Amino acid sequence: MSVLIVGSTALDSIKTPNAENPRLLGGSASHAAVAASFFGPVKLVGIVGNDFPKKYLQLYRKHRIDLSGLQVQEGKTFHWAGEYEVNMNNRRTLLTELGVFEKFTPHLPDTHKKSPFVLLANIAPSLQHHVLDQMSRPKFVVADTMDLWLNIALEDLLRLLKRVDGFVLNDSEAHQLTKEDNVFAAMRKIHKLGPKYVIIKKGSHGSVLSSPQGFFICPAYPLHSVKDPTGAGDSFVGGMMGYLANARGPLEANLRRGMIHGSVVASFCCEGFGLKRTTGVKRAAIDQRVKELEQLTRF
Amino acid sequence: MSVLIVGSTALDSIKTPNAENPRLLGGSASHAAVAASFFGPVKLVGIVGNDFPKKYLQLYRKHRIDLSGLQVQEGKTFHWAGEYEVNMNNRRTLLTELGVFEKFTPHLPDTHKKSPFVLLANIAPSLQHHVLDQMSRPKFVVADTMDLWLNIALEDLLRLLKRVDGFVLNDSEAHQLTKEDNVFAAMRKIHKLGPKYVIIKKGSHGSVLSSPQGFFICPAYPLHSVKDPTGAGDSFVGGMMGYLANARGPLEANLRRGMIHGSVVASFCCEGFGLKRTTGVKRAAIDQRVKELEQLTRF
């Protein structure tokens, strides 16, 4: 089944100690949509300016991503520039030019309104609400977020949590939201805010799911070096939702395997700048790493 | 089979934001020996002063730990006092009184010299060498360490790494030793220093084994709160060695299951001050958490 993905579509200029890569294809929806595309059809909703490179539209199309919900407007595409420190854990923003993204209102084409699986990738909670307002009874809705919205749009976010099935955030955001250092204690508090499924991302330490059936500890695929972690979290949740939308059988088991597949797509994402490595990956290479993760965790 | 454990035997005074516990039974060898005792016979080698409380000797005996290698000398038992911050991750040392430990030389009774499994728990590398000098062809030797020895006895430690099968250290120590942020890259470098088996402990994020057969990603048992993490790493490696010494079949599979069992014993350790919770645990409770970890990681 198709998965609907709404989020940011951007140009990322990324600096690391070893390299500088200007105006790469980026944004939460771009990473998530490409990741999901390995598992089945994807509908992307976002906005770009008329400066958006044609080669990036071709890249979306190469992944058979439905672009009928991508708005192209007069003006500049959202442009983010950031710099990573040597250890790749800390990054600082050098530049944020919102461009056409500043006035983005996600409009869903009629074909999108009945999508059973919905990923509200990282954008303002008010826009995530606006997407749900247009939907007709989706089967499974997951929202991602970032620290910015916890700081400036917490009320909107808290209202959103009552409308979604799953909520994905990283460990520092979970701490910010709940004041709990312990991820398991934090997840318990987040359930009380609404979501039945809570996933906390811990970067190279993997991720954890808390669900009605208990916890699932999901490993990260072991990488010896990371070129660029930008978009890894979006790739994780995108891959997870893409897998989930196309799997048969019980939800909980599929969600676990979805996290594993998302974790693998995220590992490819980290191996190249922007989407460079991810877009060169074949499904067989993903399945191979999933098999390796089975071996790596068996006891 | 029996496991020989050599390390520190101490009194720990532990302060947390919520409580203060003076003169608990502590030290690397105490935690490791109690943890190993759940799986089979343990020989402890260490030193205490004549102020060492009788109740702690009884505690060792309750765990059927062979104390023929425990030296009792005129003077004070090694006393360490430390304080944890609210998040339980950072601790600072308030006091270190070495007492009789200052002149400790581990002497192995003849019965100990042929022990097939040896855990050199955290003590000075020169003492770890001295233990190996007395051994006759042990089957499997694992050494633990701490940042102090990387700072003041690096040469001794590097020589030791050529004499052991396995080396256990935490992620920050691995970084200090190899200058690598990435644990997998760090393990590759540590293999080149000698050990065939390298285990990096990552606290609540679990641990990772690197062996000739590849990596194993070992989860930590999920805890909602941690009372006192002192000795968790020693419990982990002690439990692992105790399990390993008493398991049949291929080493690698046993090492993986040993890490899982060690991880579970470490989780109990964190649930009480010092050894209070661990010493109240029954084998069945350990097996139950091992089963839960199987569930928690299955996909």
Side-chain angles (χ1 to χ4, degrees), chain A:
Chain A
M1 277 192 277
S2 180
V3 52
L4 172 67
I5 297 178
V6 187
S8 62
T9 40
L11 300 173
D12 285 352
S13 294
I14 296 164
K15 218 170 152 178
T16 67
N18 301 316
E20 214 172 323
N21 282 268
R23 300 173 73 79
L24 297 161
L25 177 57
S28 62
S30 301
H31 280 281
V34 169
S37 75
F38 292 106
F39 309 100
V42 179
K43 294 180 169 73
L44 173 70
V45 172
I47 190 168
V48 295
N50 51 7
D51 63 342
F52 192 68
K54 281 214 175 64
K55 63 178 178 184
Y56 292 157
L57 290 174
Q58 281 159 6
L59 205 67
Y60 285 143
R61 286 194 193 104
K62 182 191 145 200
H63 284 270
R64 301 175 314 282
I65 295 168
D66 179 337
L67 299 179
S68 58
L70 181 68
Q71 304 167 34
V72 183
Q73 281 195 3
E74 188 75 28
K76 282 190 169 182
T77 303
F78 178 19
H79 180 209
W80 174 82
E83 182 171 12
Y84 284 90
E85 286 177 16
V86 182
N87 70 8
M88 291 291 160
N89 290 324
N90 303 319
R91 78 172 181 200
R92 62 193 186 96
T93 292
L94 301 173
L95 173 95
T96 307
E97 291 175 328
L98 288 175
V100 295
F101 194 64
E102 195 165 5
K103 292 183 181 163
F104 178 41
T105 307
H107 295 300
L108 303 194
D110 284 343
T111 48
H112 290 35
K113 293 179 180 169
K114 290 188 174 172
S115 297
F117 290 86
V118 182
L119 171 56
L120 304 170
N122 170 35
I123 38 170
S126 60
L127 301 185
Q128 294 175 315
H129 275 288
H130 189 63
V131 171
L132 291 185
D133 292 343
Q134 299 167 71
M135 300 290 309
S136 116
R137 303 165 58 88
K139 197 175 156 188
F140 199 74
V141 179
V142 169
D144 198 347
T145 196
M146 73 183 289
D147 51 357
L148 175 67
W149 314 121
L150 294 169
N151 290 328
I152 69 168
L154 184 59
E155 268 188 53
D156 286 350
L157 183 66
L158 291 175
R159 274 196 305 115
L160 183 78
L161 293 186
K162 303 200 183 302
R163 302 182 72 187
V164 300
D165 302 287
F167 184 44
V168 177
L169 71 177
N170 71 33
D171 42 6
S172 66
E173 291 154 5
H175 172 73
Q176 189 180 342
L177 179 61
T178 64
K179 312 294 172 241
E180 286 284 353
D181 277 303
N182 181 298
V183 293
F184 302 102
M187 289 195 288
R188 196 156 51 183
K189 282 196 177 174
I190 296 169
H191 280 306
K192 287 185 183 156
L193 299 174
K196 206 163 160 184
Y197 300 88
V198 178
I199 293 171
I200 293 185
K201 297 172 289 182
K202 307 191 295 173
S204 63
H205 300 302
S207 56
V208 192
L209 162 72
S210 176
S211 79
Q213 287 183 45
F215 297 123
F216 170 57
I217 299 172
C218 177
Y221 181 85
L223 292 178
H224 283 75
S225 75
V226 167
K227 240 186 196 153
D228 171 20
T230 315
D234 305 309
S235 300
F236 166 74
V237 69
M240 179 188 88
M241 286 299 279
Y243 182 89
L244 191 63
N246 295 283
R248 289 180 188 185
L251 178 76
E252 170 101 14
N254 291 339
L255 198 52
R256 286 179 170 218
R257 288 195 67 80
M259 288 172 69
I260 293 288
H261 283 79
S263 191
V264 164
V265 181
S267 74
F268 285 116
C269 174
C270 291
E271 288 182 324
F273 281 93
L275 276 156
K276 281 183 183 180
R277 175 86 171 101
T278 318
T279 54
V281 167
K282 297 264 179 288
R283 174 67 191 264
I286 294 170
D287 293 344
Q288 174 57 31
R289 286 198 176 179
V290 168
K291 264 188 203 152
E292 285 178 53
L293 277 181
E294 280 169 1
Q295 286 292 338
L296 287 167
T297 54
R298 189 172 292 168
F299 61 87

